[in-house]
Amino acid sequence: MSSNRQWILTRRPVGDIRDGDLVLRPDRVPKAGKGEVVVRTEWLSLDPTNRLWMSDVPQYMPPVELGAPMRGVILGKVVDSGSDAFEVGGFVMGIGSWSDYSVSPAAMLSPVPDIPGIARKDVFGQFTVVAPTAYFGLLDIGAPKIGETLVVSGAAGAVGCIAVQLGKAWGCKVVGIAGGKDKCDWVKNELGADAVIDYKQEDIQQRLKALLPEGIDIYFDNVGGDTLNTALAQMNLFGRIIQCGMISSYNNEGSYDVPQNYPMILMNRLRVQGFIVTDYAARFPEAFRALTKLYVEGRLKWRQHEIDGLEQADQAVRLLYTGGNTGKLMVKVADLG
Ligand SMILES: NC(=O)c1ccc[n+]([C@@H]2O[C@H](COP(=O)([O-])OP(=O)(O)OC[C@H]3O[C@@H](n4cnc5c(N)ncnc54)[C@H](OP(=O)(O)O)[C@@H]3O)[C@@H](O)[C@H]2O)c1
């Protein structure tokens, strides 16, 4: 292929992403400048944070500029390199764009780790972001002890499903919260959660009280909003809240619901900590080893929700904010063998 297509951010979404916020445009294949790498995209990861990157709100990275290609996490093959660190023909993953071909600073890319028994697209889907997020969030911030109670919101999602399974592997009593019967059945019957709450059908507050009369020691929060507020009220003394994500607010233009139960942080001496998985980049090999071991032992499962075609990306990303995805959402951009 000698031409390129790029999704361009033409307008900052107001509320939900709408047609026309992103536009797919033809372009030339870029050339690598000094220290840059051009990557032919094989897979594009779609992530809840994409909505934040489209907004001009305070966040952990600069927003995508209007008129620029939409930023995304990609897996692909190096086709041009201005960096000694990457040779043409190698597979890499990291930050690129929603394009057939992306140009990225070499520092934003890394080689795809060779994990025996796990296909490249699964290594990409699980090991680039989501599994290390669950691993470091739960291990370092949650600091779980055998017999403690763990509640995971977004439990059937990409990060949440790994957090549920790590919680079980590390000896916790785990309650997952997810939307809909199919997702809840999967979390309980396949992932091994002790119990699950369907937040679209059930009252979270009442169900948490019934399922965990002993209270919550660790809350792995993927959603923020009312669910966080409810969990705060039922946390135990010296409990920990892992502030991983707040997807219920990402379409609110940076206006977040402040939990009414915030004072419980003081009353119950809670530790609440946010984190971004890249904070742990230097420790990724540790996560890969631990997660691979669990996978080989049959104690780690995941689902990937795969969409075909770069042209589908702007419709597909919306699934994340309606619960329409079942597992790690990814777009196949090209078949690179
Ligand atoms: N801190 C980090 O470094 C880091 C890294 C990766 C991801 N994250 C965060 O982790 C969270 C999960 O990300 P993911 O990639 O694993 O996505 P995901 O869970 O696979 O997909 C998003 C899910 O969020 C749920 N959801 C959407 N709107 C919701 C709402 N209003 N209330 C409750 N649940 C809602 C839906 O599940 P249901 O069908 O169950 O509603 C949806 O399937 C996100 O908040 C993301 O920003 C953080």
Side-chain angles (χ1 to χ4, degrees):
M1 182 189 252
S2 56
S3 62
N4 192 12
R5 295 170 300 161
Q6 297 184 312
W7 280 102
I8 303 294
L9 182 68
T10 55
R11 190 172 63 199
R12 300 210 181 277
V14 178
D16 296 343
I17 299 167
R18 288 178 301 148
D19 293 350
D21 294 340
L22 292 148
V23 174
L24 188 63
R25 291 202 181 133
D27 200 357
R28 279 181 298 190
V29 176
K31 296 229 174 297
K34 193 169 165 35
E36 292 179 337
V37 178
V38 176
V39 179
R40 170 83 169 100
T41 313
E42 183 180 47
W43 287 93
L44 165 67
S45 170
L46 295 176
D47 298 281
T49 197
N50 293 156
R51 177 64 185 80
L52 292 176
W53 294 345
M54 293 176 201
S55 290
D56 192 9
V57 297
Q59 53 188 289
Y60 62 94
M61 281 178 97
V64 174
E65 304 221 351
L66 285 179
M70 180 60 203
R71 182 192 297 139
V73 178
I74 58 164
L75 164 68
K77 197 183 255 188
V78 175
V79 294
D80 187 15
S81 178
S83 159
D84 293 341
F86 296 99
E87 284 182 9
V88 169
F91 278 91
V92 293
M93 55 192 200
I95 299 279
S97 59
W98 293 20
S99 310
D100 293 306
Y101 294 87
S102 297
V103 60
S104 303
M108 297 286 210
L109 299 170
S110 59
V112 181
D114 184 18
I115 304 185
I118 304 184
R120 184 170 69 227
K121 70 173 180 180
D122 287 68
V123 170
F124 172 63
Q126 301 302 319
F127 287 70
T128 327
V129 174
V130 297
T133 300
Y135 176 87
F136 290 115
L138 188 55
L139 183 70
D140 272 37
I141 301 173
K145 297 181 200 68
I146 290 172
E148 285 193 320
T149 60
L150 164 68
V151 173
V152 180
S153 58
V159 172
C161 78
I162 305 290
V164 165
Q165 295 171 92
L166 289 177
K168 285 309 298 174
W170 294 339
C172 295
K173 177 176 175 184
V174 180
V175 174
I177 304 175
K181 183 174 183 322
D182 287 351
K183 289 187 180 184
C184 288
D185 285 350
W186 185 62
V187 171
K188 185 153 188 318
N189 302 332
E190 300 284 324
L191 305 186
D194 295 278
V196 65
I197 300 171
D198 180 351
Y199 77 93
K200 290 185 174 168
Q201 299 291 335
E202 300 179 292
D203 182 299
I204 300 177
Q205 185 179 11
Q206 284 176 10
R207 290 285 288 143
L208 278 177
K209 278 198 172 135
L211 293 167
L212 296 176
E214 67 272 54
I216 305 169
D217 296 308
I218 309 166
Y219 174 45
F220 195 113
D221 187 19
N222 284 311
V223 308
D226 288 344
T227 311
L228 169 60
N229 194 46
T230 302
L232 267 169
Q234 299 190 38
M235 295 297 295
N236 286 333
L237 202 61
F238 298 111
R240 286 84 69 199
I241 295 183
I242 303 151
Q243 194 59 69
C244 176
M246 299 187 152
I247 193 167
S248 69
S249 305
Y250 293 169
N251 286 338
N252 296 353
E253 295 309 303
S255 146
Y256 299 97
D257 303 322
V258 177
Q260 285 279 308
N261 291 324
Y262 187 91
M264 299 316 289
I265 296 171
L266 170 63
M267 307 310 166
N268 281 331
R269 291 77 130 185
L270 305 179
R271 177 181 175 200
V272 183
Q273 189 178 331
F275 75 110
I276 298 296
V277 68
T278 46
D279 301 341
Y280 290 94
R283 284 176 57 196
F284 269 38
E286 167 196 327
F288 293 168
R289 278 193 299 276
L291 293 159
T292 304
K293 182 168 183 295
L294 286 172
Y295 177 79
V296 168
E297 293 168 354
R299 300 162 77 197
L300 199 62
K301 298 175 185 163
W302 54 70
R303 282 174 167 172
Q304 303 212 133
H305 187 138
E306 299 173 359
I307 305 269
D308 208 21
L310 179 64
E311 63 282 358
Q312 304 296 333
D314 87 317
Q315 293 292 329
V317 74
R318 303 176 203 189
L319 296 172
L320 294 167
Y321 314 99
T322 60
N325 66 309
T326 51
K328 176 74 205 90
L329 187 61
M330 303 167 36
V331 173
K332 185 166 192 181
V333 178
D335 199 341
L336 301 185

